[in-house]
Amino acid sequence: GNAADTIHFSAADTTIGSLRLHFESTPISNDTSKIFYCKLQYAKTTNGGGAIYILGFSKVVISNNRISNCRTDAYPGGGGILCSGSSPVITHNTISHNMTSFGGGGICCENSSPAITHNIISNNSAYNGGGGIECFGIYNASNATITGNIVSYNTASYGGGISSSNNSPKILNNFISNNTASDGGGIYCANDGTPAIINNAISNNSATDGGGGICCDYTYGNPSFANNTFSNNSAAKGGGLFCSLYSNMTLQ
């Protein structure tokens, strides 16, 4: 599509939902697939990836789309987008009002290293981790770059805005605000990995337990935090930041 002529993918019956765009067993020799200026709404799936599912293929660019009101009730999640063993470019999209019964209400990254840049990711929900974005997998197999995004008004059990487990994403220059979770209202870091969280504005997030802004829980890796601004976050423990057990972090 283009700015003046958007392609619409939707459902004839929104209670039943539509199918998704699905990349699987795509030859790596294929040309790059480009999803530009599309509106993807009301997709529902029972096997992961509400609107877009990318498995084992990285030559995909998702740009200037609106992805909303999509849902998946299957592991690993990804109410809007699921990347599994793939590293697409996801840029300048609005990803909102999507949900999953597992992780990554907006975007789920499983053993993947996508570039997630300059998106608005808002009002998504996940039953487990990462209301906005979840990154997880085998130790250091998921190393996403998450930069220049607005991540707001998302909800999850842990990591209302962003959840990172067993991987080392770079989370740079984002506005992370008004997200809610039990642990890690803004960001949740767990288990191994060395996430770098730099130059973010982390504000007005809340957690019912630990870490209104950020929660580092059972982190055997070495997360680093530099030049972030924490403001007006709230939690039962650690309004701005909460660390437990083996969290070996650096604050600068």
Side-chain angles (χ1 to χ4, degrees):
N2 58 58
D5 189 9
T6 301
I7 299 171
H8 291 233
F9 294 85
S10 191
D13 185 338
T14 58
T15 60
I16 297 173
S18 65
L19 299 179
R20 64 192 174 195
L21 304 182
H22 189 165
F23 297 84
E24 184 173 357
S25 302
T26 308
I28 60 172
S29 59
N30 275 21
D31 198 358
T32 299
S33 292
K34 300 176 181 179
I35 305 169
F36 287 3
Y37 292 101
C38 297
K39 184 181 289 186
L40 299 100
Q41 297 177 299
Y42 300 106
K44 294 183 182 179
T45 66
T46 57
N47 56 350
I52 301 173
Y53 176 30
I54 307 170
L55 175 61
F57 184 63
S58 295
K59 293 164 68 175
V60 180
V61 181
I62 303 168
S63 176
N64 289 286
N65 304 286
R66 182 177 295 275
I67 301 171
S68 63
N69 298 291
C70 299
R71 175 173 183 153
T72 183
D73 291 317
Y75 180 85
I81 301 171
L82 171 60
C83 309
S84 182
S86 59
S87 301
V89 174
I90 303 170
T91 185
H92 290 95
N93 303 284
T94 297
I95 301 170
S96 63
H97 298 282
N98 304 288
M99 65 183 301
T100 179
S101 301
F102 289 88
I107 302 171
C108 179
C109 309
E110 178 192 30
N111 297 326
S112 299
S113 300
I116 302 172
T117 65
H118 304 292
N119 302 282
I120 298 172
I121 302 171
S122 65
N123 294 286
N124 303 286
S125 64
Y127 182 79
N128 291 333
I133 303 170
E134 181 182 48
C135 301
F136 78 101
I138 301 169
Y139 176 64
N140 273 353
S142 294
N143 302 309
T145 299
I146 302 170
T147 183
N149 302 282
I150 297 172
V151 183
S152 62
Y153 295 100
N154 303 286
T155 62
S157 294
Y158 48 91
I162 300 171
S163 174
S164 166
S165 178
N166 284 333
N167 67 104
S168 301
K170 293 180 175 63
I171 302 173
L172 315 171
N173 302 311
N174 301 282
F175 289 93
I176 301 169
S177 66
N178 296 287
N179 303 286
T180 59
S182 295
D183 291 290
I187 300 174
Y188 179 82
C189 301
N191 302 321
D192 294 317
T194 55
I197 300 172
I198 301 169
N199 289 334
N200 300 282
I202 302 168
S203 64
N204 298 299
N205 304 285
S206 62
T208 55
D209 190 11
I214 296 177
C215 177
C216 290
D217 195 12
Y218 300 93
T219 304
Y220 292 89
N222 298 281
S224 61
F225 302 87
N227 300 321
N228 299 288
T229 299
F230 294 82
S231 63
N232 297 307
N233 303 287
S234 63
K237 298 176 289 187
L241 175 66
F242 177 73
C243 308
S244 71
L245 294 179
Y246 303 101
S247 300
N248 185 24
M249 60 163 32
T250 301
L251 285 169
Q252 180 179 349

